[in-house]
mmCIF file of all heavy atoms in Angstrom:
data_model
loop_
_atom_site.group_PDB
_atom_site.id
_atom_site.type_symbol
_atom_site.label_atom_id
_atom_site.label_comp_id
_atom_site.label_asym_id
_atom_site.label_seq_id
_atom_site.Cartn_x
_atom_site.Cartn_y
_atom_site.Cartn_z
ATOM 1 N N THR A 32 102.119 106.439 97.609
ATOM 2 C CA THR A 32 102.816 106.206 96.338
ATOM 3 C C THR A 32 101.868 105.558 95.332
ATOM 4 O O THR A 32 100.968 104.805 95.711
ATOM 5 C CB THR A 32 104.049 105.309 96.519
ATOM 6 O OG1 THR A 32 103.635 104.074 97.116
ATOM 7 C CG2 THR A 32 105.068 105.959 97.430
ATOM 8 N N GLN A 33 102.096 105.879 94.077
ATOM 9 C CA GLN A 33 101.297 105.318 92.981
ATOM 10 C C GLN A 33 102.232 104.835 91.887
ATOM 11 O O GLN A 33 103.265 105.473 91.622
ATOM 12 C CB GLN A 33 100.365 106.375 92.378
ATOM 13 C CG GLN A 33 99.290 106.891 93.277
ATOM 14 C CD GLN A 33 98.441 107.967 92.618
ATOM 15 O OE1 GLN A 33 98.158 108.996 93.218
ATOM 16 N NE2 GLN A 33 98.014 107.740 91.371
ATOM 17 N N ASN A 34 101.833 103.751 91.232
ATOM 18 C CA ASN A 34 102.574 103.266 90.067
ATOM 19 C C ASN A 34 101.613 102.662 89.056
ATOM 20 O O ASN A 34 100.649 101.984 89.448
ATOM 21 C CB ASN A 34 103.596 102.217 90.500
ATOM 22 C CG ASN A 34 104.828 102.869 91.094
ATOM 23 O OD1 ASN A 34 105.591 103.516 90.382
ATOM 24 N ND2 ASN A 34 104.979 102.716 92.381
ATOM 25 N N PRO A 35 101.871 102.903 87.761
ATOM 26 C CA PRO A 35 102.909 103.783 87.240
ATOM 27 C C PRO A 35 102.520 105.250 87.335
ATOM 28 O O PRO A 35 101.383 105.573 87.664
ATOM 29 C CB PRO A 35 102.995 103.344 85.773
ATOM 30 C CG PRO A 35 101.588 102.942 85.438
ATOM 31 C CD PRO A 35 101.055 102.290 86.695
ATOM 32 N N ARG A 36 103.463 106.139 87.077
ATOM 33 C CA ARG A 36 103.164 107.560 87.066
ATOM 34 C C ARG A 36 102.582 107.983 85.720
ATOM 35 O O ARG A 36 101.771 108.911 85.646
ATOM 36 C CB ARG A 36 104.439 108.355 87.336
ATOM 37 C CG ARG A 36 105.035 108.146 88.721
ATOM 38 C CD ARG A 36 104.156 108.787 89.810
ATOM 39 N NE ARG A 36 103.740 110.132 89.452
ATOM 40 C CZ ARG A 36 104.499 111.198 89.578
ATOM 41 N NH1 ARG A 36 105.716 111.101 90.088
ATOM 42 N NH2 ARG A 36 104.038 112.403 89.218
ATOM 43 N N TYR A 37 103.004 107.323 84.685
ATOM 44 C CA TYR A 37 102.511 107.621 83.338
ATOM 45 C C TYR A 37 102.235 106.300 82.629
ATOM 46 O O TYR A 37 103.000 105.362 82.763
ATOM 47 C CB TYR A 37 103.542 108.422 82.526
ATOM 48 C CG TYR A 37 103.971 109.707 83.178
ATOM 49 C CD1 TYR A 37 105.055 109.746 84.054
ATOM 50 C CD2 TYR A 37 103.284 110.897 82.932
ATOM 51 C CE1 TYR A 37 105.433 110.929 84.658
ATOM 52 C CE2 TYR A 37 103.660 112.078 83.531
ATOM 53 C CZ TYR A 37 104.735 112.089 84.395
ATOM 54 O OH TYR A 37 105.110 113.263 84.989
ATOM 55 N N LEU A 38 101.144 106.257 81.876
ATOM 56 C CA LEU A 38 100.805 105.037 81.145
ATOM 57 C C LEU A 38 100.012 105.391 79.905
ATOM 58 O O LEU A 38 99.027 106.129 79.983
ATOM 59 C CB LEU A 38 99.993 104.086 82.031
ATOM 60 C CG LEU A 38 99.556 102.767 81.393
ATOM 61 C CD1 LEU A 38 100.776 101.957 80.960
ATOM 62 C CD2 LEU A 38 98.705 101.962 82.356
ATOM 63 N N ILE A 39 100.482 104.863 78.769
ATOM 64 C CA ILE A 39 99.725 104.954 77.522
ATOM 65 C C ILE A 39 99.352 103.532 77.137
ATOM 66 O O ILE A 39 100.216 102.663 77.072
ATOM 67 C CB ILE A 39 100.553 105.615 76.404
ATOM 68 C CG1 ILE A 39 100.960 107.033 76.816
ATOM 69 C CG2 ILE A 39 99.753 105.653 75.105
ATOM 70 C CD1 ILE A 39 101.911 107.708 75.850
ATOM 71 N N THR A 40 98.079 103.297 76.898
ATOM 72 C CA THR A 40 97.616 101.956 76.580
ATOM 73 C C THR A 40 96.562 102.034 75.478
ATOM 74 O O THR A 40 96.239 103.126 74.981
ATOM 75 C CB THR A 40 97.063 101.262 77.833
ATOM 76 O OG1 THR A 40 96.826 99.880 77.553
ATOM 77 C CG2 THR A 40 95.761 101.911 78.284
ATOM 78 N N VAL A 41 96.063 100.873 75.119
ATOM 79 C CA VAL A 41 95.054 100.818 74.053
ATOM 80 C C VAL A 41 93.723 100.326 74.617
ATOM 81 O O VAL A 41 93.678 99.657 75.657
ATOM 82 C CB VAL A 41 95.506 99.913 72.894
ATOM 83 C CG1 VAL A 41 96.734 100.513 72.210
ATOM 84 C CG2 VAL A 41 95.787 98.507 73.386
ATOM 85 N N THR A 42 92.673 100.638 73.923
ATOM 86 C CA THR A 42 91.333 100.245 74.334
ATOM 87 C C THR A 42 91.243 98.742 74.564
ATOM 88 O O THR A 42 91.713 97.952 73.749
ATOM 89 C CB THR A 42 90.318 100.664 73.250
ATOM 90 O OG1 THR A 42 90.350 102.082 73.115
ATOM 91 C CG2 THR A 42 88.910 100.225 73.629
ATOM 92 N N GLY A 43 90.677 98.364 75.729
ATOM 93 C CA GLY A 43 90.410 96.969 76.012
ATOM 94 C C GLY A 43 91.513 96.201 76.714
ATOM 95 O O GLY A 43 91.300 95.060 77.134
ATOM 96 N N LYS A 44 92.673 96.792 76.869
ATOM 97 C CA LYS A 44 93.785 96.081 77.508
ATOM 98 C C LYS A 44 93.775 96.337 79.008
ATOM 99 O O LYS A 44 94.092 97.451 79.461
ATOM 100 C CB LYS A 44 95.103 96.519 76.893
ATOM 101 C CG LYS A 44 96.291 95.728 77.387
ATOM 102 C CD LYS A 44 97.566 96.161 76.686
ATOM 103 C CE LYS A 44 98.755 95.354 77.171
ATOM 104 N NZ LYS A 44 100.024 95.777 76.510
ATOM 105 N N LYS A 45 93.481 95.303 79.778
ATOM 106 C CA LYS A 45 93.339 95.435 81.232
ATOM 107 C C LYS A 45 94.585 96.038 81.862
ATOM 108 O O LYS A 45 95.716 95.704 81.479
ATOM 109 C CB LYS A 45 93.065 94.065 81.853
ATOM 110 C CG LYS A 45 92.890 94.081 83.366
ATOM 111 C CD LYS A 45 92.616 92.687 83.907
ATOM 112 C CE LYS A 45 92.489 92.708 85.426
ATOM 113 N NZ LYS A 45 92.216 91.358 85.986
ATOM 114 N N LEU A 46 94.372 96.920 82.831
ATOM 115 C CA LEU A 46 95.502 97.513 83.535
ATOM 116 C C LEU A 46 95.156 97.735 85.000
ATOM 117 O O LEU A 46 93.982 97.824 85.378
ATOM 118 C CB LEU A 46 95.916 98.831 82.873
ATOM 119 C CG LEU A 46 94.946 99.990 82.949
ATOM 120 C CD1 LEU A 46 95.228 100.868 84.162
ATOM 121 C CD2 LEU A 46 95.043 100.849 81.694
ATOM 122 N N THR A 47 96.214 97.821 85.806
ATOM 123 C CA THR A 47 96.073 98.080 87.243
ATOM 124 C C THR A 47 97.006 99.220 87.629
ATOM 125 O O THR A 47 98.173 99.220 87.257
ATOM 126 C CB THR A 47 96.435 96.834 88.069
ATOM 127 O OG1 THR A 47 95.541 95.774 87.724
ATOM 128 C CG2 THR A 47 96.321 97.115 89.554
ATOM 129 N N VAL A 48 96.473 100.158 88.378
ATOM 130 C CA VAL A 48 97.273 101.232 88.958
ATOM 131 C C VAL A 48 97.370 100.957 90.459
ATOM 132 O O VAL A 48 96.342 100.814 91.135
ATOM 133 C CB VAL A 48 96.643 102.609 88.715
ATOM 134 C CG1 VAL A 48 97.549 103.702 89.264
ATOM 135 C CG2 VAL A 48 96.375 102.832 87.238
ATOM 136 N N THR A 49 98.580 100.850 90.946
ATOM 137 C CA THR A 49 98.744 100.515 92.356
ATOM 138 C C THR A 49 98.804 101.782 93.207
ATOM 139 O O THR A 49 99.206 102.855 92.750
ATOM 140 C CB THR A 49 100.011 99.696 92.595
ATOM 141 O OG1 THR A 49 101.155 100.485 92.259
ATOM 142 C CG2 THR A 49 99.999 98.426 91.764
ATOM 143 N N CYS A 50 98.376 101.638 94.460
ATOM 144 C CA CYS A 50 98.440 102.718 95.439
ATOM 145 C C CYS A 50 98.836 102.105 96.769
ATOM 146 O O CYS A 50 98.249 101.084 97.194
ATOM 147 C CB CYS A 50 97.097 103.417 95.567
ATOM 148 S SG CYS A 50 97.030 104.629 96.906
ATOM 149 N N SER A 51 99.788 102.737 97.433
ATOM 150 C CA SER A 51 100.243 102.232 98.716
ATOM 151 C C SER A 51 100.510 103.403 99.654
ATOM 152 O O SER A 51 101.041 104.429 99.226
ATOM 153 C CB SER A 51 101.515 101.409 98.531
ATOM 154 O OG SER A 51 101.937 100.848 99.746
ATOM 155 N N GLN A 52 100.130 103.244 100.936
ATOM 156 C CA GLN A 52 100.411 104.279 101.928
ATOM 157 C C GLN A 52 101.060 103.641 103.151
ATOM 158 O O GLN A 52 100.749 102.497 103.516
ATOM 159 C CB GLN A 52 99.126 105.047 102.302
ATOM 160 C CG GLN A 52 97.947 104.183 102.688
ATOM 161 C CD GLN A 52 97.791 103.879 104.156
ATOM 162 O OE1 GLN A 52 98.521 104.436 104.989
ATOM 163 N NE2 GLN A 52 96.839 103.019 104.492
ATOM 164 N N ASN A 53 101.980 104.417 103.780
ATOM 165 C CA ASN A 53 102.720 103.899 104.921
ATOM 166 C C ASN A 53 102.349 104.620 106.214
ATOM 167 O O ASN A 53 103.155 104.674 107.152
ATOM 168 C CB ASN A 53 104.223 103.998 104.656
ATOM 169 C CG ASN A 53 104.679 105.435 104.467
ATOM 170 O OD1 ASN A 53 103.892 106.374 104.561
ATOM 171 N ND2 ASN A 53 105.961 105.620 104.200
ATOM 172 N N MET A 54 101.143 105.179 106.270
ATOM 173 C CA MET A 54 100.724 105.961 107.432
ATOM 174 C C MET A 54 99.704 105.228 108.295
ATOM 175 O O MET A 54 99.124 105.815 109.213
ATOM 176 C CB MET A 54 100.153 107.302 106.948
ATOM 177 C CG MET A 54 101.199 108.159 106.262
ATOM 178 S SD MET A 54 100.527 109.634 105.462
ATOM 179 C CE MET A 54 99.947 108.946 103.908
ATOM 180 N N ASN A 55 99.445 103.967 107.974
ATOM 181 C CA ASN A 55 98.478 103.162 108.714
ATOM 182 C C ASN A 55 97.065 103.768 108.666
ATOM 183 O O ASN A 55 96.287 103.639 109.626
ATOM 184 C CB ASN A 55 98.906 102.969 110.177
ATOM 185 C CG ASN A 55 98.261 101.744 110.809
ATOM 186 O OD1 ASN A 55 98.035 100.737 110.129
ATOM 187 N ND2 ASN A 55 97.949 101.833 112.079
ATOM 188 N N HIS A 56 96.761 104.421 107.554
ATOM 189 C CA HIS A 56 95.440 105.030 107.397
ATOM 190 C C HIS A 56 94.381 103.970 107.126
ATOM 191 O O HIS A 56 94.605 103.024 106.364
ATOM 192 C CB HIS A 56 95.456 106.029 106.234
ATOM 193 C CG HIS A 56 96.152 107.307 106.569
ATOM 194 N ND1 HIS A 56 96.552 108.212 105.595
ATOM 195 C CD2 HIS A 56 96.511 107.857 107.745
ATOM 196 C CE1 HIS A 56 97.109 109.247 106.173
ATOM 197 N NE2 HIS A 56 97.106 109.053 107.481
ATOM 198 N N GLU A 57 93.205 104.177 107.718
ATOM 199 C CA GLU A 57 92.092 103.264 107.460
ATOM 200 C C GLU A 57 91.428 103.573 106.119
ATOM 201 O O GLU A 57 91.031 102.684 105.383
ATOM 202 C CB GLU A 57 91.029 103.371 108.565
ATOM 203 C CG GLU A 57 91.492 102.914 109.939
ATOM 204 C CD GLU A 57 92.142 104.032 110.742
ATOM 205 O OE1 GLU A 57 92.106 105.207 110.301
ATOM 206 O OE2 GLU A 57 92.690 103.747 111.817
ATOM 207 N N TYR A 58 91.270 104.854 105.825
ATOM 208 C CA TYR A 58 90.476 105.286 104.684
ATOM 209 C C TYR A 58 91.361 105.525 103.473
ATOM 210 O O TYR A 58 92.404 106.190 103.571
ATOM 211 C CB TYR A 58 89.754 106.582 105.061
ATOM 212 C CG TYR A 58 88.858 107.164 103.996
ATOM 213 C CD1 TYR A 58 87.529 106.777 103.885
ATOM 214 C CD2 TYR A 58 89.327 108.127 103.117
ATOM 215 C CE1 TYR A 58 86.693 107.335 102.916
ATOM 216 C CE2 TYR A 58 88.513 108.686 102.151
ATOM 217 C CZ TYR A 58 87.194 108.283 102.056
ATOM 218 O OH TYR A 58 86.369 108.825 101.093
ATOM 219 N N MET A 59 90.957 104.973 102.335
ATOM 220 C CA MET A 59 91.653 105.221 101.073
ATOM 221 C C MET A 59 90.618 105.478 99.985
ATOM 222 O O MET A 59 89.486 104.988 100.063
ATOM 223 C CB MET A 59 92.556 104.048 100.697
ATOM 224 C CG MET A 59 93.669 103.810 101.706
ATOM 225 S SD MET A 59 94.841 102.541 101.231
ATOM 226 C CE MET A 59 95.806 103.400 99.972
ATOM 227 N N SER A 60 91.042 106.240 98.974
ATOM 228 C CA SER A 60 90.088 106.677 97.962
ATOM 229 C C SER A 60 90.801 106.906 96.638
ATOM 230 O O SER A 60 91.996 107.220 96.620
ATOM 231 C CB SER A 60 89.426 107.987 98.426
ATOM 232 O OG SER A 60 88.490 108.457 97.486
ATOM 233 N N TRP A 61 90.082 106.747 95.544
ATOM 234 C CA TRP A 61 90.582 107.069 94.209
ATOM 235 C C TRP A 61 89.749 108.200 93.619
ATOM 236 O O TRP A 61 88.512 108.202 93.712
ATOM 237 C CB TRP A 61 90.493 105.859 93.277
ATOM 238 C CG TRP A 61 91.646 104.926 93.400
ATOM 239 C CD1 TRP A 61 91.688 103.739 94.057
ATOM 240 C CD2 TRP A 61 92.950 105.123 92.838
ATOM 241 N NE1 TRP A 61 92.922 103.177 93.939
ATOM 242 C CE2 TRP A 61 93.730 103.996 93.189
ATOM 243 C CE3 TRP A 61 93.541 106.124 92.064
ATOM 244 C CZ2 TRP A 61 95.054 103.847 92.799
ATOM 245 C CZ3 TRP A 61 94.857 105.989 91.682
ATOM 246 C CH2 TRP A 61 95.598 104.851 92.048
ATOM 247 N N TYR A 62 90.467 109.169 93.020
ATOM 248 C CA TYR A 62 89.838 110.277 92.325
ATOM 249 C C TYR A 62 90.390 110.339 90.906
ATOM 250 O O TYR A 62 91.516 109.940 90.644
ATOM 251 C CB TYR A 62 90.165 111.614 93.002
ATOM 252 C CG TYR A 62 89.614 111.786 94.388
ATOM 253 C CD1 TYR A 62 90.315 111.336 95.507
ATOM 254 C CD2 TYR A 62 88.400 112.434 94.596
ATOM 255 C CE1 TYR A 62 89.808 111.507 96.783
ATOM 256 C CE2 TYR A 62 87.894 112.618 95.880
ATOM 257 C CZ TYR A 62 88.605 112.163 96.958
ATOM 258 O OH TYR A 62 88.101 112.343 98.222
ATOM 259 N N ARG A 63 89.584 110.913 90.010
ATOM 260 C CA ARG A 63 90.106 111.284 88.708
ATOM 261 C C ARG A 63 89.918 112.785 88.533
ATOM 262 O O ARG A 63 88.969 113.377 89.079
ATOM 263 C CB ARG A 63 89.416 110.529 87.568
ATOM 264 C CG ARG A 63 87.923 110.701 87.443
ATOM 265 C CD ARG A 63 87.372 109.922 86.225
ATOM 266 N NE ARG A 63 87.757 110.555 84.970
ATOM 267 C CZ ARG A 63 87.512 110.013 83.767
ATOM 268 N NH1 ARG A 63 86.896 108.841 83.672
ATOM 269 N NH2 ARG A 63 87.898 110.636 82.666
ATOM 270 N N GLN A 64 90.856 113.386 87.809
ATOM 271 C CA GLN A 64 90.822 114.828 87.618
ATOM 272 C C GLN A 64 90.812 115.136 86.134
ATOM 273 O O GLN A 64 91.718 114.734 85.399
ATOM 274 C CB GLN A 64 92.028 115.510 88.285
ATOM 275 C CG GLN A 64 91.963 117.019 88.239
ATOM 276 C CD GLN A 64 93.093 117.662 89.037
ATOM 277 O OE1 GLN A 64 94.201 117.152 89.089
ATOM 278 N NE2 GLN A 64 92.801 118.783 89.686
ATOM 279 N N ASP A 65 89.797 115.859 85.718
ATOM 280 C CA ASP A 65 89.642 116.234 84.314
ATOM 281 C C ASP A 65 89.449 117.739 84.222
ATOM 282 O O ASP A 65 88.827 118.348 85.104
ATOM 283 C CB ASP A 65 88.425 115.516 83.713
ATOM 284 C CG ASP A 65 88.543 114.005 83.831
ATOM 285 O OD1 ASP A 65 89.374 113.440 83.103
ATOM 286 O OD2 ASP A 65 87.831 113.397 84.655
ATOM 287 N N PRO A 66 89.959 118.359 83.157
ATOM 288 C CA PRO A 66 89.868 119.826 83.018
ATOM 289 C C PRO A 66 88.430 120.317 83.152
ATOM 290 O O PRO A 66 87.527 119.802 82.516
ATOM 291 C CB PRO A 66 90.424 120.063 81.617
ATOM 292 C CG PRO A 66 91.324 118.904 81.356
ATOM 293 C CD PRO A 66 90.680 117.736 82.038
ATOM 294 N N GLY A 67 88.250 121.334 83.999
ATOM 295 C CA GLY A 67 86.935 121.937 84.167
ATOM 296 C C GLY A 67 85.975 121.168 85.054
ATOM 297 O O GLY A 67 84.899 121.678 85.384
ATOM 298 N N LEU A 68 86.367 119.955 85.441
ATOM 299 C CA LEU A 68 85.464 119.132 86.254
ATOM 300 C C LEU A 68 85.962 118.938 87.677
ATOM 301 O O LEU A 68 85.252 118.408 88.525
ATOM 302 C CB LEU A 68 85.263 117.764 85.603
ATOM 303 C CG LEU A 68 84.559 117.766 84.255
ATOM 304 C CD1 LEU A 68 84.502 116.353 83.674
ATOM 305 C CD2 LEU A 68 83.154 118.343 84.382
ATOM 306 N N GLY A 69 87.174 119.300 87.945
ATOM 307 C CA GLY A 69 87.717 119.100 89.281
ATOM 308 C C GLY A 69 87.990 117.634 89.561
ATOM 309 O O GLY A 69 87.959 116.774 88.679
ATOM 310 N N LEU A 70 88.239 117.331 90.788
ATOM 311 C CA LEU A 70 88.496 115.963 91.232
ATOM 312 C C LEU A 70 87.168 115.294 91.566
ATOM 313 O O LEU A 70 86.356 115.835 92.299
ATOM 314 C CB LEU A 70 89.388 115.974 92.477
ATOM 315 C CG LEU A 70 90.856 116.247 92.234
ATOM 316 C CD1 LEU A 70 91.472 116.972 93.412
ATOM 317 C CD2 LEU A 70 91.588 114.933 92.005
ATOM 318 N N ARG A 71 86.985 114.076 91.046
ATOM 319 C CA ARG A 71 85.758 113.331 91.321
ATOM 320 C C ARG A 71 86.120 111.955 91.872
ATOM 321 O O ARG A 71 87.022 111.299 91.367
ATOM 322 C CB ARG A 71 84.922 113.188 90.047
ATOM 323 C CG ARG A 71 84.372 114.502 89.507
ATOM 324 C CD ARG A 71 83.641 114.286 88.199
ATOM 325 N NE ARG A 71 84.545 113.874 87.138
ATOM 326 C CZ ARG A 71 84.154 113.388 85.967
ATOM 327 N NH1 ARG A 71 82.848 113.221 85.721
ATOM 328 N NH2 ARG A 71 85.038 113.054 85.045
#
Side-chain angles (χ1 to χ4, degrees):
Chain A
T32 57
Q33 295 178 226
N34 281 291
R36 295 290 314 280
Y37 304 89
L38 180 61
I39 300 173
T40 190
V41 295
T42 298
K44 186 177 181 181
K45 180 180 178 180
L46 67 92
T47 299
V48 183
T49 64
C50 173
S51 183
Q52 51 92 7
N53 62 2
M54 296 171 278
N55 202 34
H56 285 165
E57 295 88 8
Y58 181 88
M59 297 185 75
S60 180
W61 276 102
Y62 295 87
R63 59 178 288 174
Q64 186 174 35
D65 302 288
L68 295 176
L70 283 149
R71 294 176 293 167

